[in-house]
Amino acid sequence: MNMQRYRSFEAARGYIGLGMLQEASEELYEIPVEERKNLSFIKLEIELLLAQGVLDQADTLLSAISDTCKRDPEWQYLRARFFARSSNFPEANRHLMKAIMLDNEPSAQILNHPDLDVIWTWSTN
């Protein structure tokens, strides 16, 4: 990935974190189509789709990379967020627990993500 594409990728990540979803989308889709097959791009696109609430497309992408990513904690966190947003709390909890088992040191940023708050509340009831 060249420097301009890397800048667009990182800018999109930052915009998602700030909740600036239109700007994130513009940056992300400036990356040429041939470079969008990269797993990092796909994960970031899933992040954007979840933030936008476009669950059907997020599910399609999550399913498409599932064979490659089952042992990837980031993928498990994304699945947990997807199921939490879909109100499937048992499945969200299952993926969150898998992610925590795979991730030796989960970051506070991940564990405190607003999409996961509902799982913590659900699992303590």
Side-chain angles (χ1 to χ4, degrees):
M1 186 181 296
N2 74 23
M3 206 52 184
Q4 177 59 32
R5 304 223 191 347
Y6 177 77
R7 191 209 64 75
S8 291
F9 184 84
E10 289 303 314
R13 181 189 310 279
Y15 283 136
I16 292 169
L18 294 170
M20 299 170 69
L21 304 181
Q22 181 61 41
E23 292 83 352
S25 182
E26 290 169 8
E27 290 288 347
L28 197 59
Y29 295 115
E30 279 189 22
I31 298 172
V33 173
E34 61 274 5
E35 292 186 32
R36 294 182 192 173
K37 295 177 181 128
N38 174 306
L39 193 55
S40 295
F41 177 90
I42 294 169
K43 288 179 183 176
L44 191 58
E45 185 175 21
I46 292 167
E47 284 272 349
L48 177 60
L49 291 169
L50 287 172
Q52 292 171 325
V54 186
L55 300 182
D56 56 338
Q57 290 179 15
D59 186 36
T60 299
L61 286 176
L62 282 163
S63 297
I65 64 171
S66 67
D67 289 340
T68 307
C69 297
K70 284 186 179 169
R71 307 245 355 119
D72 177 357
E74 186 180 357
W75 181 82
Q76 294 291 345
Y77 285 121
L78 288 170
R79 287 303 279 175
R81 288 182 51 208
F82 167 76
F83 284 115
R85 287 185 142 242
S86 301
S87 298
N88 185 342
F89 304 122
E91 197 63 21
N93 190 53
R94 186 174 75 80
H95 282 282
L96 180 58
M97 293 304 112
K98 277 186 179 180
I100 291 170
M101 287 189 296
L102 291 169
D103 195 352
N104 293 332
E105 296 181 28
S107 73
Q109 181 181 4
I110 290 171
L111 294 177
N112 293 325
H113 193 283
D115 286 348
L116 300 179
D117 284 347
V118 70
I119 301 171
W120 298 120
T121 303
W122 175 84
S123 64
T124 58
N125 290 329

